[in-house]
Amino acid sequence: MASTDTKTIALSERAYDLLAAKKREGESFNDVVERLAGDRPLLDMVGTGEADDGYERAVTDARESIDRSTDRYASEFDANESDSAADH
């Protein structure tokens, strides 16, 4: 039988959004935490939040990749527009 004892925790808005994104239909936030945390320590699940945990580098790498793709597609679009204008 589940305990009725509860604890209140504070989450940043970002942490709340990440947790909410993992929530399945019909699950409470308590269910999500229990499912995700399991027997693992919570810090193993979420990382330390330190810059050396790789998160900051992963975000920077993703942003740079998106910027490169956007620049490439913009260049291709501009080239196609120039070719189209020259044909008319």
Side-chain angles (χ1 to χ4, degrees), residues 20-55:
K22 297 291 185 182
K23 201 169 173 232
R24 296 175 180 165
E25 187 175 335
E27 270 189 326
S28 67
F29 280 100
N30 189 78
D31 295 335
V32 176
V33 171
E34 286 183 356
R35 176 173 49 83
L36 295 176
D39 292 330
R40 299 179 303 168
L42 190 56
L43 286 179
D44 287 352
M45 180 180 73
V46 298
T48 63
E50 299 295 326
D52 65 353
D53 72 0
Y55 173 78

Side-chain angles (χ1 to χ4, degrees), residues 10-26:
L11 298 173
S12 68
E13 189 169 331
R14 180 179 177 280
Y16 176 88
D17 291 342
L18 290 169
L19 190 60
K22 297 291 185 182
K23 201 169 173 232
R24 296 175 180 165
E25 187 175 335

Side-chain angles (χ1 to χ4, degrees), residues 14 46-65:
R14 180 179 177 280
V46 298
T48 63
E50 299 295 326
D52 65 353
D53 72 0
Y55 173 78
E56 185 176 353
R57 183 74 237 160
V59 169
T60 300
D61 289 347
R63 183 177 299 126
E64 289 170 355
S65 176

Side-chain angles (χ1 to χ4, degrees), residues 59-73:
V59 169
T60 300
D61 289 347
R63 183 177 299 126
E64 289 170 355
S65 176
I66 290 168
D67 288 345
R68 283 191 304 272
S69 293
T70 301
D71 291 345
R72 185 177 67 244
Y73 290 123

